Amino acid sequence: MRECSRLSRRAVLGLTAAALPVSLSVSESGAPAYAAESTGVVGGEQLARKGVQVRGAAGVPKKLTARSWVVADADSGEVLASYNAHQRLAPASTLKMLFADTVLKKFDRARRYQVTDADLADVPSGSSLVGIKPGITYTVDQLWQGVFLRSGNDAVHVLSHMNGGIDRTVAEMQQRAEYLHALDTHVVSPDGFDHPGQISSAYDLTLFARAGLKDADFRAYCGTRTADFPAGGKKTFQIQNTDRLLTGAYGLTPYEGLIGVKNGYTSHAGNTFTGAATRGGRTLLVTVMHPATGSNAVYEHTAALLDWGFTHGSSARAVGTLVEPGVPATARPAPAGGKAAAADRASATGATGSSGLRVAEGAALTALLLGGGTWAVLRRRRGRTASAAAGVEAGVAGGAGAAAAAESVPAPKEPKESKEPKEPKETESGGRHRR
């Protein structure tokens, strides 16, 4: 009887401790990084609402066909406007921002590395490539140019193998995403290629960009327009950044003040883009995912939202915030409403529901377990029977099972086939590597 009671109290205390940190995360400085609101939505409850979210400012562009977008202040972290910010969608090559956030500082830029066949053996067919060849020696700096400028999956895979392999890199990226509170993101491959279950959100991609831009090397690479890339021997060829707002390619005008960050395309995701621009001492971040039509639409949407932010953003009251990094949070963001979100939830069989539900479950479980622990102590004092003690044990075990079930987050199924579109050779006057 006595041992049974001790076990029950330990189970109660352990499960209670696990349930308590649902709504609080701690930053590196030791201060709370953010407190989830009553719904437990990362960045604030309003970011989980369907449709356009804006306060105190007019003129938000109306002819946008993207399934999700976010406008945020890079310095303050305030989200000025959003549309389905937490909707989970295929990220395409914008996921390379998280790859860079994770791996960029691990290798000296001057380090030289000779590529092997094994380094390129697992690059998916149909990938975007910078043109890396086995047997050629590249500097780490050149490999990162291949990642940022040409969105080269071959460069990503070489760096991943240098980092200990694809699986290790994926695991580290997932850990980094959780540290950044990017809880919509599930990493399957480091390159952003279409794989079942590889998802992110406009909110999470904006977190990746904001974190990356704080690093000088990341900022320099994403703002580089052209570079000379090794072709073997003493030969080189020019590569140009695929960010059309940066280079002005395909009929677009370069966006004034643009400093990066990353574009992406796959046949499943369509076009995705996170852009950052600085005007008048203010830097804004915009992420746009899955516009309905046109390869230039993602850039046109981004330019329109940046224009709105610089024109009207000063009067906008925040609808949410880009949370600060810290200990991985347990609260999950609620998917936005609407038919598209319902379809996403249907495809992600068994995926987590609203974070509000999970916070409520955690609070209810905590109260239940604390109550159970108190009852167990009184039971001992009153000399309850062994059968009553067994009932307490069964109740605690049931609560633990429910908590474990609530943490299960299976990934949605997505088509395997993917190919980035072939584009004509891009050129730019100047020709040399510029940052």
Side-chain angles (χ1 to χ4, degrees):
M1 167 83 79
R2 187 173 301 167
E3 182 62 31
C4 181
S5 298
R6 285 198 297 270
L7 176 61
S8 178
R9 289 197 301 276
R10 283 196 296 269
V12 168
L13 292 174
L15 288 170
T16 300
L20 286 177
V22 168
S23 63
L24 183 65
S25 177
V26 180
S27 69
E28 289 178 294
S29 65
Y34 77 99
E37 299 184 20
S38 59
T39 58
V41 176
V42 177
E45 178 274 337
Q46 192 167 352
L47 297 181
R49 298 178 187 172
K50 65 181 180 179
V52 175
Q53 304 301 315
V54 65
R55 293 176 180 171
V60 176
K62 295 182 178 180
K63 295 182 179 181
L64 303 180
T65 62
R67 296 177 65 186
S68 177
W69 53 260
V70 164
V71 182
D73 187 294
D75 295 321
S76 69
E78 291 183 338
V79 177
L80 306 178
S82 70
Y83 179 77
N84 299 341
H86 281 298
Q87 186 170 349
R88 295 163 187 161
L89 299 166
S93 287
T94 48
L95 194 65
K96 290 181 172 77
M97 293 187 293
L98 176 60
F99 173 71
D101 284 342
T102 305
V103 180
L104 183 58
K105 307 310 290 184
K106 291 195 172 190
F107 309 111
D108 188 276
R109 290 170 55 184
R111 176 177 170 180
R112 299 175 64 81
Y113 181 80
Q114 186 175 33
V115 174
T116 69
D117 288 318
D119 293 328
L120 302 173
D122 47 15
V123 176
S125 176
S127 289
S128 56
L129 305 171
V130 66
I132 290 175
K133 302 296 182 184
I136 296 180
T137 298
Y138 301 87
T139 64
V140 167
D141 182 55
Q142 290 164 339
L143 293 173
W144 282 114
Q145 290 170 3
V147 172
F148 277 92
L149 275 68
R150 295 306 302 172
S151 201
N153 289 359
D154 46 357
V156 170
H157 281 247
V158 171
L159 287 163
S160 295
H161 284 287
M162 292 175 65
N163 188 50
I166 299 297
D167 291 343
R168 176 176 176 175
T169 301
V170 165
E172 290 178 354
M173 288 173 65
Q174 191 66 59
Q175 185 178 36
R176 178 68 175 173
E178 292 170 3
Y179 173 78
L180 295 172
H181 302 304
L183 303 184
D184 297 317
T185 298
H186 180 244
V187 183
V188 178
S189 69
D191 48 31
F193 195 80
D194 283 342
H195 292 284
Q198 183 132 281
I199 52 173
S200 190
S201 67
Y203 181 87
D204 285 9
L205 294 177
T206 309
L207 288 179
F208 302 153
R210 187 185 187 215
L213 288 171
K214 293 178 180 180
D215 178 82
D217 288 338
F218 183 108
R219 194 180 182 106
Y221 284 124
C222 73
T224 299
R225 290 174 171 81
T226 62
D228 291 329
F229 200 78
K234 296 183 178 180
K235 296 180 179 180
T236 63
F237 60 95
Q238 187 185 86
I239 58 175
Q240 181 172 322
N241 202 312
T242 56
D243 177 352
R244 300 179 189 179
L245 278 188
L246 184 68
T247 64
Y250 296 92
L252 291 174
T253 301
Y255 192 84
E256 179 185 351
L258 195 81
I259 58 176
V261 183
K262 189 71 189 76
N263 60 316
Y265 174 87
T266 66
S267 59
H268 174 67
N271 290 280
T272 57
F273 182 59
T274 298
T278 300
R279 289 184 183 177
R282 188 181 199 185
T283 299
L284 297 181
L285 288 162
V286 169
T287 296
V288 174
M289 300 186 75
H290 300 214
T293 57
S295 61
N296 276 344
V298 72
Y299 302 103
E300 293 165 348
H301 286 19
T302 299
L305 289 167
L306 284 170
D307 285 345
W308 174 85
F310 287 122
T311 303
H312 300 283
S314 58
S315 62
R317 301 196 305 275
V319 297
T321 184
L322 301 177
V323 297
E324 298 298 328
V327 176
T330 55
R332 306 291 296 192
K339 294 182 179 180
D344 288 340
R345 290 194 293 274
S347 66
T349 306
T352 306
S354 74
S355 54
L357 178 60
R358 291 190 57 184
V359 173
E361 287 174 347
L365 178 60
T366 300
L368 175 63
L369 294 178
L370 286 172
T374 303
W375 184 82
V377 173
L378 293 174
R379 173 183 50 74
R380 287 190 62 206
R381 292 177 179 176
R382 296 173 183 175
R384 299 276 183 169
T385 64
S387 61
V392 173
E393 294 294 339
V396 171
E407 293 297 320
S408 175
V409 189
K413 295 182 179 179
E414 299 180 355
K416 295 182 179 179
E417 183 179 12
S418 172
K419 180 178 287 188
E420 299 210 8
K422 294 183 178 179
E423 299 176 343
K425 183 177 180 181
E426 300 172 323
T427 60
E428 178 176 326
S429 60
R432 301 296 297 175
H433 177 196
R434 301 203 310 275
R435 289 189 178 175

